[in-house]
Amino acid sequence: MNCLRALAFLSLLLAAPAMAAERYAPEKTTCDGWPRAPIGMAPGFCAGLVVVPPAAFASRQVRLPRLMLPLPGGDWLVTDLGGWNIRRGAVWRLHAEKGQAARLTPLLAWLNMPHGLARGPDGKTYVGEMSRIFRFDHEAADPAKTIQTVVDGLPDNRLHENRHPLSYFIFDGDGALLVNVGALSDQCVAKDGKPKGETTCTESEGAEKTAGVRRYTYRGNGIWAKDFTMLARGLRNSLALVRHASGTLLQAENSIDFRNPDSPFEELNLLRSGAHYGWPYCYDMDKPAPAWAGAKAMDCRSSAHEKPVRLLPPHASPLGMAYYQGAMFPELAGRLLMSWHGYEAAGARLVAFDVDTKGIPLPAPRARYAFYDGRGGSGSKPYPGPAAEPLTITPLWDERKALRPMGTPVGMAVAADGAIWMTEDKNATILRVARDRP
């Protein structure tokens, strides 16, 4: 996300009572039984509106929905960031049926920026809160009394400046917890623009071990090791992690913020134990970051820098990934779904990549990425390195006054019937992507 736009959005959140947002104007037709959202969709797809908030931020029930988890029987759990400050987050239970108003029931409140949400190897529900990961029983009479901390001591933003305090995690094939620990800053530079540290970035290489993915070994019986190893370093913010059935681990990197909307490119990285992926020294495939070029902390062209396996559009802000397995869209079977949350012209999209047997998106010769042209259409530009061209499920999700806001997709999950449910944080909306039928 562009730094200036991010700061503007943050200031709006802090002034929440006065905040109002552009709302969706439902179309007269429906999308598989749900009010149809006025979004430009790929042929054969439509988006239905499940949760649409009031325009005023302070009047919202769910304020900043992030991730969703399907429950047996058709209900959902939803993490709600609440705001970019402490103890405003929540976990909700969502009951939604065609033709009826969605019903939201609060299960947990007063949480610190909850984001991550998953079902563990023990079948219990796990939540990534700022500074920790906990589990709880969503079926209990008082879910708050069932909270058990699983991983504690993750960096937060209460003790120091932390630009990326959100906890995201996935479970590896052996049950190990792989946990995102975001970089404390954008480029690891001081206020004078000079590098933090004489030779290397203290945020990435220091004792606190941020800017990477931690691995907590599973001990069995719902217990993880208190100590961790660094699976990978040099990753600015790993809010999109996914494991393929083959064992491949992919990370979608939210790269550093340049003011140029065409640079730098986001990255799709193949995680390899012990590798360093370049933050804050390198960007794109092998370019030295201007702030660190003089320090010579890393030769970005050398093997010390683990290069991206694919490039993604600049400032697209990938925040969610999942491999599609469902009956509704046979054409998506096995494809990698990815949400692009970014506010720049290449963001605001839900896409699906064809992948190889290891789950890695197939490269396209002379690949190009799409961007909104500001005139109600879309153009394209070339990538400077290896990239894939996805099916864009939402090719037109730019802002249209009195029709729709710009899309801000975060989490996605596949329902039992194969529909793709999706959250938008800024718009506080939950949508259901389905086969295009009334």
Side-chain angles (χ1 to χ4, degrees):
M1 182 191 302
N2 179 277
C3 182
L4 296 179
R5 307 245 343 233
L7 290 174
F9 179 42
L10 176 59
S11 67
L12 287 174
L13 292 180
L14 294 177
M19 180 179 176
E22 187 77 21
R23 299 185 68 205
Y24 288 97
E27 297 183 353
K28 294 180 179 179
T29 58
T30 58
C31 168
D32 196 30
W34 301 83
R36 184 178 292 251
I39 298 170
M41 304 291 292
F45 296 81
C46 65
L49 295 166
V50 178
V51 174
V52 181
F57 184 90
S59 300
R60 294 176 178 178
Q61 194 173 11
V62 174
R63 295 193 168 187
L64 292 170
R66 299 291 286 190
L67 299 191
M68 302 184 71
L69 181 68
L71 298 175
D75 282 3
W76 296 84
L77 296 181
V78 183
T79 50
D80 179 5
L81 205 64
W84 289 98
N85 37 31
I86 63 172
R87 299 189 64 78
R88 290 196 177 183
V91 175
W92 300 83
R93 183 169 187 146
L94 168 66
H95 178 80
E97 296 182 40
K98 296 177 183 179
Q100 299 183 23
R103 186 170 70 249
L104 286 156
T105 303
L107 299 185
L108 301 175
W110 308 110
L111 299 180
N112 289 322
M113 301 185 194
H115 171 78
L117 181 63
R119 186 168 289 109
D122 54 3
K124 295 182 179 180
T125 300
Y126 288 70
V127 175
E129 192 181 13
M130 184 181 70
S131 81
R132 68 169 179 167
I133 296 170
F134 67 84
R135 63 175 169 239
F136 77 106
D137 182 358
H138 61 266
E139 298 290 356
D142 187 350
K145 290 184 177 180
T146 70
I147 289 177
Q148 296 176 307
T149 298
V150 174
V151 171
D152 207 355
L154 299 175
D156 59 43
N157 62 2
R158 288 174 290 181
L159 301 178
H160 47 54
E161 176 189 1
N162 188 351
R163 187 184 175 94
H164 306 111
L166 303 186
S167 294
Y168 184 63
F169 60 91
I170 60 173
F171 295 94
D172 206 350
D174 60 359
L177 268 168
L178 308 181
V179 182
N180 165 55
V181 182
L184 302 182
S185 66
D186 174 34
Q187 300 182 46
C188 196
V189 295
K191 292 182 179 180
D192 61 3
K194 295 181 180 180
K196 291 182 181 178
E198 296 182 2
T199 57
T200 60
C201 172
T202 53
E203 295 177 24
S204 181
E205 322 288 350
E208 194 169 13
K209 297 181 175 65
T210 63
V213 175
R214 294 180 180 180
R215 186 180 194 277
Y216 291 84
T217 301
Y218 186 47
R219 301 298 192 198
N221 298 318
I223 299 173
W224 281 262
K226 294 187 179 297
D227 296 328
F228 61 87
T229 58
M230 291 300 292
L231 173 68
R233 291 177 178 270
L235 296 166
R236 180 173 173 272
N237 199 20
S238 304
L239 287 185
L241 294 168
V242 72
R243 182 183 186 275
H244 187 255
S246 66
T248 296
L249 297 171
L250 292 179
Q251 181 262 7
E253 173 77 329
N254 286 256
S255 298
I256 57 181
D257 285 329
F258 292 164
R259 294 193 178 187
N260 179 359
D262 295 329
S263 179
F265 285 77
E266 315 286 39
E267 304 172 2
L268 186 65
N269 292 302
L270 177 61
L271 294 189
R272 185 172 59 83
S273 182
H276 195 298
Y277 292 82
W279 184 89
Y281 318 123
C282 310
Y283 71 97
D284 291 357
M285 295 304 295
D286 56 12
K287 296 178 181 177
W292 281 90
K296 298 181 180 180
M298 176 178 285
D299 180 354
C300 297
R301 296 179 180 272
S302 73
S303 60
H305 171 213
E306 188 77 12
K307 313 296 190 297
V309 67
R310 301 286 180 265
L311 292 177
L312 299 171
H315 301 292
S317 297
L319 293 189
M321 291 195 292
Y323 290 101
Y324 181 84
Q325 298 295 337
M328 186 171 288
F329 301 112
E331 67 271 34
L332 295 183
R335 286 195 183 189
L336 176 62
L337 301 175
M338 192 181 298
S339 63
W340 291 347
H341 177 270
Y343 304 131
E344 298 293 350
R349 287 171 170 85
L350 174 66
V351 301
F353 291 95
D354 275 328
V355 298
D356 62 19
T357 57
K358 294 184 178 181
I360 301 171
L362 296 171
R366 297 180 294 279
R368 302 178 69 87
Y369 67 92
F371 66 91
Y372 299 119
D373 62 12
R375 302 185 298 274
S378 186
S380 69
K381 294 180 181 180
Y383 284 97
E389 291 187 348
L391 166 66
T392 302
I393 299 173
T394 59
L396 286 176
W397 206 356
D398 53 341
E399 182 179 5
R400 304 286 181 88
K401 292 294 184 183
L403 182 65
R404 65 173 182 250
M406 189 171 190
T408 61
V410 182
M412 75 199 78
V414 179
D417 64 358
I420 303 167
W421 291 58
M422 196 167 42
T423 63
E424 290 187 276
D425 60 351
K426 181 182 176 184
N427 301 325
T429 306
I430 296 176
L431 303 108
R432 177 181 180 268
V433 175
R435 182 62 71 196
D436 192 0
R437 55 198 178 202

